[in-house]
Amino acid sequence: MDEQSFFKRLNSLCTSKDILYFLSSLEVMSDTMASGALQKISELEVDDNGLKNPALLENEVFRALCFQFEFESSKLSNTGLLNALQALINLRIDPQSTLMTTLLSESEERLGRGQLTAEHLCALGESLLELEGPSCATLEQIVNHMQERDIKSWSPREIVMVYKILEVTVREGKQWQSLLNRLNGVTLRAVSQLSPNFVSVILNSLVVLHQTRAVLLVTALCKHSVQHVPYFTDHELVNVLEAFLYFGQKMEIFTEALERHVPKSIHTMHPQTVSKVMQYCCKKMILSKPIFDAVAEGFISSADRLTTDQIAAYVIPFGTLNYLPPSASSLFRKLETVLHIRLRHFQPHTLLNLLHSCVLIQRYPINFLPKIFSPYFLQKLQAQPPGLNRVVMSQLTQLFLTVTLECPFYEGPKLLSKYQVKAFPTPQSSLDVHLFKRVKTGLLDLLKKRIYFASEVSTPYFYVVDIEIKLDEEGFVLPAAQLEEVHRRIALCVDGQNRFCAHSHNLLGEEAIKQRHLQLLGYEVVQIPFFEIESLQNTRKIADYLHKKIFPCTYG
């Protein structure tokens, strides 16, 4: 039978039993045909749990095939040799068996003699990675041979295999940047031909290889990944999301693709993939209601099967991005149930992050605060990295301030003063300097003198107020330095884009709780959001806007 007819018949068979029966009916076949049959058998007989039917290895026809490969290894074509090697590795044949050592030895001899094409080098590299792992010394030899080949003619499969080999050899301390630069250039031209799996593997390799300068390639791969979102496996999608995070990529079309995919797939997606999607949204400040609503539903139905880290990954972004889904009551009821059962299984910092995120959106973990404020728990926090640093102590202080202001019925242990910060840290990035300057200029025009308002004022209640204005009992503005006869305090919150979710007018959780607490502490909070002021062209218009916002009773 000629090879074309053979492979046509082989591909129509659906069980290894049928394949072996078919092979037994042939008097003669080439080594390419025989290795093709082994590959087909390995595809049918191997899944994530290993070999489905170990008895297959004792089949007479299968053993006869293996015998031929072992004793005629030197006569095999490169394709027959390397395809057989890959198939036998997949079938979990003992690496120390005479068959495997013979085939490996023959492959390595041909490598040394320079007889392998780029395609065969990749096939051998794949087999060695599977069999011996990254420490295999022959991988470096393969890379050296690859450098001598015409890289422009490589197929996508060969490109992917070289990235995989480079990934592990670089981990072993070898440097191949010149080859990588050539490879990145060739890959850029081949992006449109790459399958979902190849896109995922290459992006993962670029992360491992720290290819931060390959901006054009990374951008092209990220754009190309959009069309593959519905077809990525869980593992592949995690790789892609990690690459987006590592390289700082944010594309609206990618988010839209996730918004179409996640709600449909939430009940079949692996929890680690859902966790990574939420991490991506949280880090990029993307409040996607379709994704968050679907994840809330997924949490309600599957929380009992999640690890503690996954529980935190599902829930924390709701607080960070200040969003309550339609199913919020069921979501937090389920969270409380899970916490009651598994509280002791949470790592201290994971538990603190989780409970802190809840108070940002006015979900109060009253039943669990006695544990959080206990000396034993605080010691555990201190003992584990990052310890009781300023961020951790700020979370503890904000939890304590929340129950003091918003839950006056709480009668459990208090947070000792030595664990409280004097002021919540204000990241430099949280204040939009350009917007702040425009508001101060407008205020100066409105109030005529700089003494009538103070900026970046520290309060006795841990928060820093962007701009404070004091009024007496009759509503007249007092000098900012005056301490007596202060009847009202106005806190201006100058909220730039970085205090909102991306492309949204939804305040982030940290800013929302600050404004809520300032109100409860007696301030009149006036929000000055960027989207109200950015279109005002001159100082007079800004002053007019501020007059209307701060003093509506006297406006006009």
Side-chain angles (χ1 to χ4, degrees):
M1 185 181 284
D2 64 87
E3 286 196 0
Q4 191 176 353
S5 305
F6 173 84
F7 281 107
K8 189 176 179 182
R9 177 74 190 282
L10 179 68
N11 290 329
S12 71
L13 301 174
C14 301
T15 67
S16 55
K17 184 179 177 182
D18 290 343
I19 293 170
L20 292 168
Y21 180 77
F22 168 51
L23 296 180
S24 68
S25 69
L26 300 175
E27 289 183 21
V28 179
M29 69 179 111
S30 68
D31 63 349
T32 311
M33 291 154 73
S35 63
L38 284 178
Q39 284 193 309
K40 178 74 175 176
I41 290 169
S42 74
E43 288 166 17
L44 293 171
E45 289 294 337
V46 178
D47 60 17
D48 293 339
N49 299 317
L51 192 60
K52 296 180 194 173
N53 177 23
L56 164 78
L57 306 185
E58 302 304 319
N59 179 279
E60 284 184 19
V61 180
F62 181 83
R63 288 170 68 88
L65 268 181
C66 293
F67 183 84
Q68 288 290 101
F69 277 108
E70 181 180 341
F71 288 95
E72 299 197 7
S73 60
S74 60
K75 297 175 186 175
L76 298 173
S77 65
N78 288 338
T79 302
L81 173 67
L82 294 163
N83 285 354
L85 183 61
Q86 278 185 317
L88 293 167
I89 290 169
N90 291 340
L91 287 164
R92 312 295 197 267
I93 303 298
D94 179 7
Q96 304 304 318
S97 65
T98 318
L99 169 63
M100 294 299 281
T101 53
T102 302
L103 295 181
L104 266 174
S105 175
E106 181 62 34
S107 303
E108 289 174 359
E109 278 180 32
R110 295 186 192 190
L111 171 67
R113 294 196 296 266
Q115 291 177 297
L116 302 181
T117 64
E119 183 185 357
H120 297 136
L121 287 167
C122 288
L124 178 58
E126 200 167 356
S127 296
L128 290 170
L129 276 175
E130 185 70 32
L131 204 59
E132 299 183 29
S135 58
C136 175
T138 314
L139 289 172
E140 188 179 343
Q141 206 179 336
I142 291 173
V143 176
N144 284 325
H145 279 285
M146 292 299 282
Q147 290 205 85
E148 298 162 10
R149 299 292 190 272
D150 179 16
I151 197 167
K152 292 175 185 173
S153 62
W154 289 356
S155 69
R157 179 176 172 272
E158 288 159 4
I159 289 170
V160 167
M161 199 57 243
V162 175
Y163 273 116
K164 277 185 174 179
I165 297 171
L166 287 173
E167 196 181 311
V168 297
T169 53
V170 165
R171 278 182 187 148
E172 295 295 306
K174 307 293 187 296
Q175 297 301 316
W176 305 103
Q177 193 56 53
S178 60
L179 175 59
L180 265 169
N181 292 341
R182 288 163 59 206
L183 187 58
N184 291 344
V186 168
T187 309
L188 181 59
R189 292 190 285 277
V191 165
S192 61
Q193 304 166 43
L194 299 176
S195 66
N197 176 254
F198 287 175
V199 169
S200 170
V201 170
I202 293 172
L203 278 172
N204 183 61
S205 294
L206 292 172
V207 170
V208 173
L209 295 162
H210 309 299
Q211 294 300 288
T212 49
R213 293 186 179 181
V215 179
L216 290 177
L217 174 58
V218 170
T219 306
L221 286 166
C222 288
K223 277 184 182 172
H224 186 60
S225 70
V226 172
Q227 69 192 60
H228 292 317
V229 166
Y231 311 108
F232 285 127
T233 64
D234 282 308
H235 177 66
E236 288 164 1
L237 184 55
V238 167
N239 281 347
V240 172
L241 288 164
E242 282 179 345
F244 266 82
L245 288 168
Y246 180 81
F247 292 111
Q249 292 282 327
K250 186 164 79 172
M251 294 177 183
E252 221 165 314
I253 51 172
F254 182 74
T255 305
E256 288 165 5
L258 285 176
E259 286 177 339
R260 290 189 295 272
H261 175 64
V262 174
K264 286 190 294 186
S265 313
I266 191 68
H267 295 296
T268 55
M269 287 174 81
H270 192 282
Q272 207 54 41
T273 312
V274 179
S275 300
K276 188 58 70 174
V277 169
M278 291 302 272
Q279 184 194 358
Y280 169 78
C281 290
C282 198
K283 287 273 178 80
K284 301 291 183 184
M285 302 301 180
I286 298 167
L287 174 54
S288 165
K289 291 181 182 180
I291 292 175
F292 277 52
D293 292 351
V295 170
E297 293 293 342
F299 182 84
I300 293 162
S301 63
S302 67
D304 299 320
R305 300 190 298 274
L306 302 179
T307 66
T308 53
D309 284 343
Q310 287 164 355
I311 290 167
Y314 273 55
V315 176
I316 287 172
F318 287 94
T320 305
L321 303 189
N322 185 29
Y323 177 64
L324 286 171
S327 58
S329 57
S330 300
L331 170 69
F332 287 96
R333 198 160 49 244
K334 184 68 179 180
L335 176 62
E336 184 160 18
T337 304
V338 170
L339 285 173
H340 272 299
I341 297 167
R342 299 170 63 188
L343 191 69
R344 63 191 178 85
H345 297 137
F346 279 83
Q347 289 296 315
H349 288 282
T350 305
L351 183 60
L352 177 61
N353 288 334
L354 178 59
L355 298 185
H356 177 258
S357 74
C358 292
V359 301
L360 298 180
I361 41 178
Q362 295 176 280
R363 290 297 180 271
Y364 310 111
I366 296 297
N367 295 327
F368 309 105
L369 289 180
K371 176 183 173 73
I372 296 293
F373 296 151
S374 72
Y376 174 68
F377 182 81
L378 294 168
Q379 284 169 10
K380 283 174 72 178
L381 271 178
Q382 190 158 17
Q384 291 186 6
L388 285 173
N389 64 14
R390 186 134 188 239
V391 172
V392 173
M393 287 177 69
S394 296
Q395 287 179 316
L396 288 166
T397 307
Q398 201 162 42
L399 270 174
F400 177 61
L401 184 61
T402 299
V403 291
T404 305
L405 294 174
E406 301 184 57
C407 309
F409 50 83
Y410 172 73
E411 293 178 351
K414 311 292 186 197
L415 181 68
L416 297 174
S417 58
K418 69 176 181 178
Y419 295 112
Q420 297 176 26
V421 291
K422 289 187 170 59
F424 293 132
T426 307
Q428 281 302 114
S429 61
S430 78
L431 196 62
D432 184 327
V433 178
H434 178 64
L435 179 66
F436 195 54
K437 191 175 177 182
R438 291 188 75 200
V439 171
K440 286 199 293 185
T441 306
L443 266 181
L444 190 58
D445 189 77
L446 176 65
L447 303 177
K448 306 306 177 193
K449 287 187 178 178
R450 181 66 179 83
I451 61 166
Y452 289 119
F453 64 92
S455 55
E456 299 182 78
V457 180
S458 294
T459 69
Y461 314 108
F462 314 107
Y463 291 109
V464 174
V465 173
D466 295 336
I467 294 173
E468 184 184 58
I469 297 171
K470 297 174 180 176
L471 306 178
D472 66 12
E473 196 168 352
E474 294 177 22
F476 288 106
V477 179
L478 297 170
Q482 187 166 324
L483 301 176
E484 300 83 24
E485 299 177 14
V486 178
H487 188 68
R488 290 160 58 200
R489 292 174 188 266
I490 297 173
L492 263 61
C493 295
V494 184
D495 295 330
Q497 267 180 307
N498 43 12
R499 290 185 181 175
F500 293 86
C501 300
H503 312 297
S504 163
H505 294 172
N506 194 75
L507 270 180
L508 295 172
E510 283 285 4
E511 191 59 28
I513 195 174
K514 172 185 171 180
Q515 295 184 18
R516 197 165 75 238
H517 283 178
L518 286 174
Q519 254 179 331
L520 291 168
L521 289 162
Y523 282 91
E524 292 177 33
V525 175
V526 177
Q527 192 187 7
I528 311 292
F530 74 95
F531 49 84
E532 288 182 4
I533 210 169
E534 61 187 359
S535 62
L536 303 177
Q537 300 300 321
N538 54 51
T539 304
R540 186 63 255 156
K541 285 185 178 176
I542 294 172
D544 194 54
Y545 162 82
L546 291 171
H547 189 170
K548 190 176 181 178
K549 286 282 283 196
I550 305 167
F551 308 109
C553 297
T554 64
Y555 181 73

